[in-house]
Structure formats: C-alpha cells, structure tokens
C-alpha cells in the first residue's frame, strides 16, 4: 500500500487526537516501519489495519467508522492531488462507473505497484449504479466512505445500500436521491 495512504491517515488522526496521543498509539504498536512513512514508499496494509485498530481502542470510535471517515478524508486529498480525474464527469455515478476502467487505470500507470481493488459496475436504471467491490484488503468501509464523499463532491445526495459479502468484498447500490 502506498506511503501516501499512511501519511494521510496519520495527518487525519493527528488532527483528531493530537500529536502526543498519536505518538503514544504508534509507540504501542510493533510496526516494522517504526511508524515512519514516506509518501513514495510502500508498506503492508496490515500496518494500516493495526494503526486503525489501535486508534479505535484509544478513541472508542469503531474501526468501521474510522475507515469511513478516512475514506472521506482521502477523497478530499484526491480532489486536490488529481483534479483531472473529476473533470468532465457529469455526476457522481458517472465518476464511480469510471473508477475501474479509467481512474485506477491511470493510477496504475503512475504507480505500477499500486494495490487497487477491482470494481464491476452494472446500471440498475437511470440514477442507480451497482458496484461490486472485490479486494485483497479488508477495506469495504473505507470504500463506502469514498463513495459518500464522492457524492458530496458532486453535491448529489445519494442512498448507498451495502451488501457485505466479507471484509474484502461487498456490493454497493448507489442511488441518486429524489
Ligand atoms: C481521483 C480519484 C481517485 C484516485 C486518484 C484514486 C487513487 C487511489 C490510490 C493511489 C490508491 C492506493 C493504492 C495503494 O495504496 O497501493 C487507491 C486505493 C483505493 N481506491 Fe481509489 N482513487 C480515486 C477514487 C476512488 C473512488 C471514488 C473510490 C470508490 C469507489 C475508490 C476506491 C478505492 C479503494 C477502496 C482503495 C483501497 C484499496 C483496496 O480497497 O484494495 N477510489 N485509490
């Protein structure tokens, strides 16, 4: 998993719990990296899960809620770092439909070692998109956070139905409200 994901998680966490508590949380974990991440490095996803788990214990916020919040945070970073991927998309569903075949394809060109999930999309009608998420990483809740934040980016209220198959697989039915 890319270092930028770790540096962003730590930036978000520092804003919530403060630097001292974050340092304590990291010190309490036996991380191979020592908790020092470079944006351009690659680190095991298990470290991300360990940090999120420890933050959950420390704050009393569930792992699922933390993953969702972090998904929202990352979308905000993608808006700043990669605005070109949002341009030309008419609405949130068109954007979500383009992640697999366009956005993550470009990400893979930039970072051939990126560890990305697989999405299969299916239109259930106008204004209704089904997205099947399959990953080697247990990030279903992170993905849900990205989807909601993407809808906010486009200023479009959506209802997201989630059928969770496992921590690594889920079907999201995203419907435009109204
Ligand atoms: C401009 C928009 C986007 C960019 C530039 C982008 C790029 C990336 C990058 C760099 C990673 C990390 C890869 C790694 O750590 O090796 C990633 C992971 C991920 N992306 Fe995207 N992404 C975008 C939008 C989205 C959206 C809207 C979704 C939601 C449907 C999404 C779903 C995911 C998920 C779930 C992961 C975590 C990896 C996994 O689950 O296996 N991305 N993306």
């Amino acid at each position: 998993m890319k270092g930028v994901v770790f540096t962003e998680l730590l930036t978000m966490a520092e804003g919530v719990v403060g630097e001292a508590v974050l340092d304590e949380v990291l010190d309490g974990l036996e991380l191979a990296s020592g908790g020092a991440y470079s944006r351009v490095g690659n680190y095991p996803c298990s470290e991300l899960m360990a940090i999120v788990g420890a933050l959950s214990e420390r704050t009393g916020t569930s792992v699922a809620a933390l993953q969702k919040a972090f998904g929202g945070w990352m979308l905000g970073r993608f808006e700043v770092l990669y605005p070109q991927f949002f341009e030309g998309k008419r609405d949130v569903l068109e954007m979500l439909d383009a992640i697999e075949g366009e956005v993550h394809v470009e990400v893979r060109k930039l970072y051939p070692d990126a560890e990305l999930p697989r999405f299969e999309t299916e239109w259930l009608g106008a204004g209704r998109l089904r997205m099947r998420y399959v990953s080697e990483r247990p990030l279903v809740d992170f993905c849900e956070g990205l989807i909601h934040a993407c809808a906010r980016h486009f200023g479009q209220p959506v209802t997201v139905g989630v059928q969770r198959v496992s921590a690594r697989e889920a079907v999201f039915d995203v419907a435009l409200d109204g």
Side-chain angles (χ1 to χ4, degrees):
M1 177 154 265
K2 307 305 295 175
V4 63
V5 180
F6 288 83
T7 57
E8 289 301 336
L9 175 67
L10 298 189
T11 303
M12 181 185 89
E14 192 180 321
V16 178
V17 299
E19 194 183 347
V21 170
L22 178 60
D23 283 347
E24 264 177 51
V25 166
L26 292 175
D27 288 346
L29 293 168
E30 295 199 353
L31 301 167
S33 66
Y37 301 99
S38 143
R39 291 173 68 85
V40 293
N42 273 305
Y43 306 92
C45 187
S46 55
E47 291 207 1
L48 190 88
M49 304 314 293
I51 297 169
V52 171
L55 284 169
S56 168
E57 273 176 31
R58 179 73 194 224
T59 61
T61 306
S62 71
V63 168
L66 288 175
Q67 275 204 23
K68 279 181 208 169
F70 184 44
W73 174 277
M74 278 311 291
L75 203 275
R77 296 303 297 149
F78 291 153
E79 286 171 347
V80 173
L81 298 169
Y82 308 99
Q84 68 272 25
F85 294 143
F86 295 89
E87 280 159 19
K89 302 289 183 298
R90 274 173 306 180
D91 67 16
V92 56
L93 298 185
E94 199 175 292
M95 177 75 189
L96 292 173
D97 193 29
I99 300 298
E100 175 72 16
E102 197 181 308
V103 177
H104 280 178
V105 171
E106 294 304 316
V107 170
R108 219 173 253 118
K109 285 185 201 163
L110 293 169
Y111 311 106
D113 53 1
E115 295 179 318
L116 296 163
R118 191 159 51 82
F119 289 106
E120 287 162 21
T121 53
E122 179 191 347
W123 290 93
L124 301 177
R128 284 174 62 86
L129 183 72
R130 172 167 287 178
M131 284 186 105
R132 176 181 293 275
Y133 163 87
V134 184
S135 177
E136 284 165 34
R137 290 153 294 282
L139 296 172
V140 164
D141 295 304
F142 174 71
C143 188
E144 191 180 336
L146 278 164
I147 291 171
H148 279 288
C150 202
R152 284 196 295 277
H153 169 92
F154 287 93
Q156 290 179 301
V158 291
T159 301
V160 182
V162 188
Q163 293 163 250
R164 181 186 285 266
V165 180
S166 73
R168 293 172 171 75
E169 181 174 352
V171 178
F172 296 100
D173 284 343
V174 188
L176 295 180
D177 288 349

